[in-house]
Amino acid sequence: MVLALAGCSGGSSNSNSASTNTTSSSSSPLVQSQVYAQQKIAMSSLNQAVQQYHATEGHFPANLQELAPTYIEKIPDAPAGYTLNYDPNSGVVSMAKQ
């Protein structure tokens, strides 16, 4: 499943470059779905980085910024209309609609 999603994100770069040429397509449900899917993959990477931090350090990070750049290159931005939530007690990263 991860490989299938990763394959979709690779193919979406072509459609994203096409969508940047037309302003109306950036608000299409298809483009929004692709962006949301890419952010869900990024969120999964964040959760994995939190778990790696926990395994190495023996505790969860106090905030997500402690992960970069050692455990993840950079903290991804949440898609428009969503926020990233992090619970330092459980180490869970989630995405919530604003």
Side-chain angles (χ1 to χ4, degrees):
M1 182 169 161
V2 172
L3 293 176
L5 291 175
C8 292
S9 67
S12 66
S13 63
N14 292 338
S15 62
N16 283 345
S17 62
S19 68
T20 57
N21 294 335
T22 58
T23 57
S24 63
S25 65
S26 64
S27 63
S28 76
L30 179 59
V31 171
Q32 290 174 354
S33 295
Q34 289 174 342
V35 169
Y36 182 80
Q38 290 170 349
Q39 290 299 325
K40 290 289 278 186
I41 292 169
M43 191 177 66
S44 176
S45 296
L46 273 174
N47 276 307
Q48 183 177 13
V50 168
Q51 295 306 316
Q52 289 174 341
Y53 181 103
H54 183 264
T56 302
E57 306 293 332
H59 60 89
F60 292 116
N63 56 58
L64 293 177
Q65 288 69 30
E66 290 185 23
L67 299 172
T70 304
Y71 297 94
I72 193 166
E73 187 174 322
K74 75 174 210 134
I75 308 303
D77 295 325
Y82 291 85
T83 59
L84 288 179
N85 296 322
Y86 171 64
D87 179 5
N89 295 318
S90 66
V92 174
V93 180
S94 61
M95 190 167 39
K97 197 166 187 172
Q98 292 180 332

